[in-house]
Amino acid sequence: SVHMGRHCWALIGPVPGDGAGPPAPERVLFPPTFSVSEIKNKQRRHFMFLRWKQQQRKEKLALKKKRRKEREALGDKAPPKAVPKTIENQRVYDETTVDPNDEEVAFDEATDEFAPYFNRQTVPKILITTSDRPRGRTVRFCEQLATVIPNSHVYYRRGLALKRIIPQCIARDFTDLIVINEDRKIPNGLVLSHLPDGPTAHFRMSSVRLRKEIKRKGKEPTEHVPEVILNNFTTRLGHSIGRMFAALFPHNPQFIGRQVATFHNQRDYIFFRFHRYIFKSEKKVGIQELGPRFTLKLRSLQKGTFDSKFGEYEWIHKRREMDRSRRKFHL
């Protein structure tokens, strides 16, 4: 019988000492049909939910121990471990996933807007600017970003339209334009435009951390050219975005500086980190974060340079259509 009393215990089987049948089995907190949401009292419902979670953890741990003992008993005959299911390895296949040996992709990349950079015909020269009249935090972020990207120059806008800045950048041989937008004094957007012919990518920016906000940070970065690591940009769209980031940094990284800039794509969020290698011995190496750090989410990719009215868009993130499945990614 199941009885939900004052302490919400569930007793299964006869009570010991009543003389009816064999000794009672172990006490079970919750019968299979029990639902915490049926409890009306909020405090008791919360208490019972915590107890239920505790019971679930115990059962999971007991099952884990049982399986480990079985594997030890079987030894070499034990079946291979099951691969845990994650959103990444259950990802819906994207037909635009790039094959490294695809001739069509190789031809497109050999003739796209970034080909002069990858053919070493141009040297990156970056202009970092802001939305109109930036505040302190955005200003500091731009200054720190300029120490990460070599050959970059910071310009703070004062009422000058972006369409007027682009021709001036092209005339001064800038290869890329980065615009940091802010909302309520917090950086919340990044526009990256490759010059002179585009494309232009618009990102939402979040989780910005300046150097002083990072725990156990290293000393100020040096002027050495860093290595660049691009992770998990697997689709055609991802390749375009990865090539945009790569084109910000000069060729021939100076390994003596031990600095590395990482753009890591996971579930369409691009995490940026800036580290320095710390060689502890000939075999052991650690990393030390230098900062800043931030996270980007692609909102749109536009052909040509920035044009909010008449620009032709290659890709726009439409949440209601594209975010129906948690296992579908675009980069």
Side-chain angles (χ1 to χ4, degrees), residues 48-286:
M48 293 303 290
F49 174 74
L50 294 178
R51 295 292 290 270
W52 177 77
K53 290 289 283 185
Q54 188 180 19
Q55 183 183 347
Q56 295 287 95
R57 279 196 297 271
K58 282 183 179 177
E59 289 174 1
K60 192 175 179 181
L61 194 65
L63 185 63
K64 207 172 180 180
K65 284 182 178 178
K66 182 185 173 186
R67 283 179 179 168
R68 189 169 68 240
K69 285 181 180 177
E70 287 175 356
R71 290 185 67 83
E72 287 172 357
L74 290 170
D76 295 336
K77 295 179 181 179
K81 279 188 177 180
V83 178
K85 288 185 179 180
T86 64
I87 290 180
E88 281 81 7
N89 63 26
Q90 298 293 307
R91 173 178 182 170
V92 176
Y93 177 75
D94 193 315
E95 58 275 5
T96 65
T97 301
V98 173
D99 181 359
N101 302 317
D102 193 327
E103 293 180 4
E104 183 186 346
V105 174
F107 176 77
D108 287 350
E109 292 184 351
T111 56
D112 68 2
E113 300 90 340
F114 305 105
Y117 164 79
F118 286 98
N119 294 333
R120 305 191 179 221
Q121 296 169 1
T122 59
V123 176
K125 184 181 178 184
I126 319 298
L127 179 69
I128 301 173
T129 186
T130 59
S131 52
D132 196 29
R133 303 182 189 282
R135 303 301 178 90
R137 186 175 172 81
T138 305
V139 170
R140 290 195 297 275
F141 175 70
C142 291
E143 289 171 352
Q144 292 183 15
L145 191 61
T147 63
V148 172
I149 304 173
N151 201 19
S152 56
H153 308 263
V154 181
Y155 168 75
Y156 301 114
R157 282 165 66 193
R158 293 287 186 275
L160 188 62
L162 207 55
K163 286 184 182 179
R164 292 179 60 188
I165 292 177
I166 290 171
Q168 295 180 28
C169 289
I170 295 170
R172 289 170 172 80
D173 295 326
F174 283 99
T175 60
D176 291 273
L177 172 67
I178 297 175
V179 184
I180 306 296
N181 294 317
E182 68 172 9
D183 180 42
R184 298 173 189 171
K185 304 181 184 180
I186 297 173
N188 73 331
L190 184 145
V191 177
L192 174 56
S193 186
H194 186 68
L195 305 175
D197 302 317
T200 301
H202 186 194
F203 300 92
R204 188 175 80 235
M205 181 187 284
S206 59
S207 305
V208 176
R209 293 287 179 272
L210 302 178
R211 284 201 181 105
K212 67 175 185 179
E213 298 162 356
I214 296 173
K215 294 179 181 177
R216 295 182 291 278
K217 62 182 179 296
K219 293 180 181 178
E220 293 287 311
T222 59
E223 294 183 359
H224 295 95
V225 176
E227 298 173 65
V228 180
I229 296 176
L230 301 166
N231 280 340
N232 296 339
F233 294 93
T234 55
T235 64
R236 292 293 291 267
L237 176 65
H239 261 230
S240 298
I241 298 302
R243 284 167 73 82
M244 286 188 83
F245 289 134
L248 296 174
F249 294 84
H251 294 284
N252 303 324
Q254 296 169 323
F255 297 107
I256 195 171
R258 297 178 288 120
Q259 295 178 161
V260 56
T262 305
F263 294 90
H264 175 76
N265 171 45
Q266 187 169 350
R267 304 182 189 181
D268 285 351
Y269 286 91
I270 301 167
F271 299 90
F272 174 80
R273 298 292 184 269
F274 192 53
H275 290 99
R276 177 183 289 133
Y277 294 121
I278 304 294
F279 291 101
K280 298 175 181 177
S281 67
E282 290 183 2
K283 294 183 179 180
K284 287 188 177 181
V285 63

Side-chain angles (χ1 to χ4, degrees), residues 12-27:
I12 298 178
V15 180
D18 61 357
E26 189 180 357
R27 230 176 221 198

